[in-house]
Amino acid sequence: MSIVPFGIVFGAVFIGRSVRVITVAQWLRRHGTRVPGVVVRLRQSGGHRKGVYYPTLRFQTLQGSAVETESDLGFNPSPVRPGQQVMVVYDPERPQRVRLDGAGGSGVLHSVLFLIVGAVVLVVFLVFAASSWL
């Protein structure tokens, strides 16, 4: 069994996930609303020390609604701790769509690195696939 299809899928998934994170971050930067919030808790996904931490954020919308929701973007290590005051940016139409405000919290920096890694992996495995077909 060849690992070439796996490598192609792996690279494409990395690229797709990175593009999604960057797109959401850019949309929130342009159209989102920034308000103060607090980190309620961190949910760890994955193994001990190598897990990804997803912050649950509590904030009040400009319309006065209280919102508590988990960010779709995880970190390792976490840049925040439970009880910490933070700035959040949320989608005014869907306040549950929220990220930590700032370059690190938006995920853009890490996503650009993942995008590069995904592109390199995809190109390498596509070259292997093309050379085996010729």
Side-chain angles (χ1 to χ4, degrees):
M1 182 174 156
S2 172
I3 67 164
V4 172
F6 172 77
I8 292 170
V9 170
F10 182 81
V13 167
F14 256 58
I15 291 169
R17 174 70 176 148
S18 298
V19 167
R20 181 183 178 282
V21 169
I22 292 168
T23 302
V24 170
Q26 293 302 315
W27 190 94
L28 284 172
R29 187 171 63 92
R30 289 187 186 109
H31 306 286
T33 302
R34 287 165 182 75
V35 295
V38 65
V39 178
V40 177
R41 67 185 154 277
L42 297 173
R43 178 180 61 85
Q44 183 180 6
S45 173
H48 180 66
R49 292 188 188 171
K50 294 184 181 183
V52 176
Y53 297 90
Y54 294 88
T56 295
L57 305 166
R58 183 183 306 136
F59 60 95
Q60 191 170 30
T61 68
L62 292 182
Q63 292 73 30
S65 299
V67 177
E68 183 173 309
T69 188
E70 184 177 274
S71 174
D72 67 334
L73 191 60
F75 304 92
N76 183 352
S78 175
V80 295
R81 297 285 174 245
Q84 183 176 343
Q85 300 289 320
V86 294
M87 288 300 289
V88 300
V89 58
Y90 71 91
D91 179 343
E93 299 294 319
R94 294 181 2 215
Q96 289 72 25
R97 187 178 188 187
V98 63
R99 297 262 173 97
L100 294 170
D101 195 21
S106 69
V108 171
L109 299 175
H110 286 103
S111 292
V112 168
L113 293 174
F114 278 106
L115 182 66
I116 293 167
V117 168
V120 168
V121 169
L122 182 62
V123 167
V124 166
F125 280 97
L126 284 173
V127 167
F128 279 128
S131 66
S132 69
W133 293 332
L134 298 177

